[in-house]
């Protein structure tokens, strides 16, 4: 190559790389895998479509798994980590025993590792699986920022302080959400996720039996009496394990059913019923319960969900891309990971080499 054309080529490459370096920012963004794994979002969608065709009930489980991950120290995949000999992980806290869907995350991750090894984080797999759960359940399509990295901390001790207490009142719930920069409106909107999925009898049976200390047959008087009867049929006294639809009648469809339930005193969880006891959350519930179309809820849900998906996100240098979602990378893989996973580091190195080469050529 003639020196002049080589110099032109080097300048062009360096300019491109510098532009890319400048655009690398420390937050999740739309299409973070456009270049490194362009088929990533399609792979997740295809796998979720296949899984939910067989087991529609898993949509709720994956949606919940993601929300719990985000509220526990950020959306960094820590809920997926298994306990080790010297650490009890978040998933083994008694409060998280009901979580399901880990094997779905593992199967999606295996497909992604086959296509683009070491590129797509477990935190992003969970975020994309949750957004696809909503979409496949006939809810809104939510453009989901990606580029989250995986954390390496997962402690059962972090769970209680960051999880709504069973029976928490609406003041507690609003305060908990405020810690994540989420508002009372976000609480009313995101609780709408309970339009799909199931709860264990243990999550609401205190409303059915022994509600007062004086009468062991007493139930929560704010729960519709007919519904109480139906629920007592589904959850006999002492049954903690049976799963019951959060939105009976349309438990696998992402619709306005949840708000109609809550407005009619048929919110299953006491925290659902509690939304009627704050002016802002009550007004939102009533408006959606009366709405003829879900458009406003869908738009609100997409916006609040994306904000939730950004809580405590780790980006380059702060986390890793786990090979396996249930365990941190072994030390050797960890030390390689920043090179393979960090487009930022690669770009910076390329820029440096280009500039040095350019200086030598010119
Ligand atoms: C106010 C905060 C929240 C509370 C107190 C709460 C509480 C609960 C509880 C107790 C269950 C039943 C778990 C079980 O028995 O296994 C549940 C299920 C569920 N939650 Fe929430 N949740 C909250 C917020 C959210 C958010 C923000 C989302 C998602 C955006 C969400 C999505 C779900 C889903 C989809 C299920 C069904 C899980 C399944 O089918 O496996 N929840 N929630
Ligand atoms: C990825 O591609 C989509 C669609 O063309 C675009 O909206 C997005 O900004 C791109 N993201 C990046 C980081 O290049
Ligand atoms: C915990 O155990 C792992 C192996 O399971 C070990 O690599 C790590 O050093 C231990 N950490 C502490 C703080 O003891
Ligand atoms: C809500 O519950 C907390 C305890 O979790 C209590 O301190 C507070 O007074 C309650 N607020 C209302 C309005 O009931
Ligand atoms: C909430 O917002 C403040 C101010 O923008 C920021 O410093 C803080 O990190 C945010 N907290 C969370 C949990 O995102
Ligand atoms: C308990 O309450 C239910 C519903 O109110 C009622 O049908 C039932 O007869 C009561 N049982 C006893 C033993 O009082
Ligand atoms: C319960 O159902 C019966 C029969 O469908 C109805 O007559 C009654 O009004 C209902 N009670 C409540 C509290 O909704
Ligand atoms: C209600 O509480 C009493 C006293 O603790 C207990 O003996 C009884 O088994 C409880 N009943 C139910 C249905 O949980
Ligand atoms: C919703 O409809 C109910 C009954 O149809 C009515 O009482 C209530 O005022 C309506 N609320 C709103 C916010 O429109
Ligand atoms: C989402 O977060 C942004 C930035 O903190 C904020 O301006 C916006 O109001 C939030 N939207 C919702 C729906 O929470
Ligand atoms: C966990 O991640 C932090 C932050 O990147 C790092 O300083 C620490 O060494 C990591 N710990 C382990 C055991 O990998």
């Amino acid at each position: 190559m003639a020196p002049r054309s080589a110099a032109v080529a080097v300048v062009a490459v360096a300019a491109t790389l510098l532009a890319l370096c400048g655009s690398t920012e420390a937050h999740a963004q739309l299409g973070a895998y456009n270049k490194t794994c362009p088929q990533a979002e399609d792979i997740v969608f295809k796998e979720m479509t296949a899984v939910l065709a067989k087991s529609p009930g898993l949509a709720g489980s994956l949606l919940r798994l993601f929300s719990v991950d985000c509220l526990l120290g950020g959306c960094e995949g820590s809920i997926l980590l298994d306990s080790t000999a010297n650490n009890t992980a978040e998933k083994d806290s008694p409060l998280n025993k009901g979580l399901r869907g880990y094997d779905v995350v593992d199967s999606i991750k295996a497909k992604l590792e086959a296509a683009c090894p070491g590129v797509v984080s477990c935190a992003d797999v969970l975020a994309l699986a949750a957004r696809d759960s909503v979409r496949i359940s006939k809810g809104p399509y939510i453009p989901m920022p990606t580029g989250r990295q995986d954390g390496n901390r997962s402690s059962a001790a972090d769970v209680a302080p960051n999880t709504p207490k069973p029976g928490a009142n609406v003041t507690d719930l609003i305060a908990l959400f405020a810690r994540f920069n989420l508002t009372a409106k976000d609480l009313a909107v995101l609780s709408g996720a309970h339009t799909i999925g199931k709860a264990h009898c243990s999550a609401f049976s205190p409303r059915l039996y022994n509600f007062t200390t004086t009468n062991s047959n007493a139930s929560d008087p704010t729960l519709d009496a007919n519904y109480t009867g139906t629920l007592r049929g589904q959850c006999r006294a002492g049954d903690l394990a049976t799963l019951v639809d959060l939105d009976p009648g349309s438990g696998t469809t992402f619709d306005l059913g949840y708000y109609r339930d809550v407005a009619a005193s048929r919110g299953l969880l006491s925290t659902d019923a509690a939304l009627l006891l704050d002016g802002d959350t009550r007004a939102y519930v009533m408006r959606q319960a009366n709405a003829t179309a879900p458009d406003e809820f869908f738009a609100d849900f997409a916006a609040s969900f994306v904000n939730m998906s950004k809580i405590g996100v780790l980006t380059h240098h702060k986390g890793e891309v786990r090979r396996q979602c249930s365990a941190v990378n072994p030390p050797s893989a960890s030390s390689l990971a920043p090179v393979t996973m960090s487009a930022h580091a690669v770009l910076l190195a390329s820029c440096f080499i280009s500039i040095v080469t350019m200086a030598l050529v010119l």
Side-chain angles (χ1 to χ4, degrees):
M1 209 191 281
R4 178 177 296 202
S5 56
V8 168
V10 167
V11 168
V13 168
T16 307
L17 289 170
L18 282 167
L20 285 170
C21 289
S23 74
T24 309
E25 289 169 57
H27 56 70
Q29 57 184 330
L30 292 174
Y33 301 113
N34 280 1
K35 296 201 176 62
T36 50
C37 189
Q39 66 277 49
E41 297 193 21
D42 291 341
I43 290 174
V44 177
F45 182 66
K46 197 170 157 229
E47 194 65 13
M48 284 302 294
T49 303
V51 166
L52 297 184
K54 274 195 213 135
S55 316
L58 283 170
S61 303
L62 284 148
L63 182 53
R64 177 164 187 239
L65 209 46
F66 179 60
S67 77
V68 171
D69 188 37
C70 291
L71 299 186
L72 288 174
C75 314
E76 28 62 301
S78 56
I79 192 66
L80 305 171
L81 287 170
D82 282 344
S83 294
T84 58
N86 51 19
N87 180 58
T88 305
E90 291 166 5
K91 64 164 62 159
D92 288 326
S93 158
L95 288 165
N96 284 337
K97 280 300 186 191
L99 291 173
R100 300 176 293 140
Y102 297 107
D103 48 341
V104 178
V105 175
D106 290 341
S107 76
I108 298 171
K109 174 67 171 171
K111 292 270 186 332
L112 288 166
E113 286 300 292
C116 317
V119 172
V120 183
S121 67
C122 295
D124 278 344
V125 172
L126 202 44
L128 293 170
R131 118 13 227 275
D132 286 340
S133 293
V134 173
R135 176 189 194 180
I136 296 168
S137 304
K138 301 192 168 66
Y141 169 71
I142 304 170
M144 175 53 72
T146 48
R148 297 169 190 79
Q149 291 188 344
D150 297 323
N152 60 14
R153 176 190 165 86
S154 179
S155 174
D158 295 341
V159 175
N162 293 293
T163 302
K165 280 187 265 312
N169 60 37
V170 69
T171 315
D172 294 333
L173 295 174
I174 291 172
L176 180 78
F177 269 50
R179 287 180 21 210
F180 305 112
N181 290 339
L182 297 172
T183 62
K185 180 181 177 184
D186 292 318
L187 171 65
V189 170
L190 290 170
S191 294
H194 292 170
T195 183
I196 61 171
K198 292 175 183 284
H200 293 81
C201 293
S202 57
F204 57 86
S205 60
R207 304 184 77 191
L208 307 180
Y209 306 102
N210 265 350
F211 190 74
T212 62
T213 48
T214 48
N215 173 6
S216 71
N217 196 35
S219 61
D220 183 343
T222 68
L223 192 60
D224 170 83
N226 281 359
Y227 190 38
T228 301
T230 306
L231 292 173
R232 283 180 166 186
Q234 292 172 285
C235 300
R236 312 307 305 186
D239 174 2
L240 303 177
T242 299
L243 287 164
V244 171
D245 277 341
L246 283 157
D247 175 19
S250 63
T252 57
T253 307
F254 200 94
D255 58 13
L256 294 172
Y258 170 79
Y259 295 109
R260 294 181 182 138
D261 298 334
V262 174
S265 303
R266 289 165 163 260
L268 182 61
L269 307 174
S270 64
T271 48
D272 297 325
L275 297 182
L276 295 174
L277 301 178
D278 166 83
D280 291 337
T281 55
R282 180 187 176 87
Y284 193 82
V285 168
M286 289 305 185
R287 189 162 75 250
Q288 297 311 329
N290 284 0
T292 50
D295 306 31
E296 185 192 10
F297 168 49
F298 282 9
D300 288 342
F301 190 83
S304 292
F305 193 67
V306 167
N307 275 8
M308 184 183 82
S309 86
K310 293 178 177 170
I311 296 171
V313 163
L314 302 175
T315 49
H316 47 271
H317 307 311
K318 299 211 187 80
E320 62 180 8
V321 172
R322 266 183 241 143
R323 301 293 200 273
Q324 234 190 311
C325 292
S326 58
V328 297
N329 290 338
S332 57
S334 292
S335 59
L336 289 174
V339 178
T340 52
M341 85 199 171
S342 173
H344 185 69
V346 171
L347 287 172
L348 279 180
S350 310
C351 290
F352 181 74
I353 291 166
S354 303
I355 290 162
V356 169
T357 311
M358 196 163 62
L360 289 175
V361 168
L362 294 178

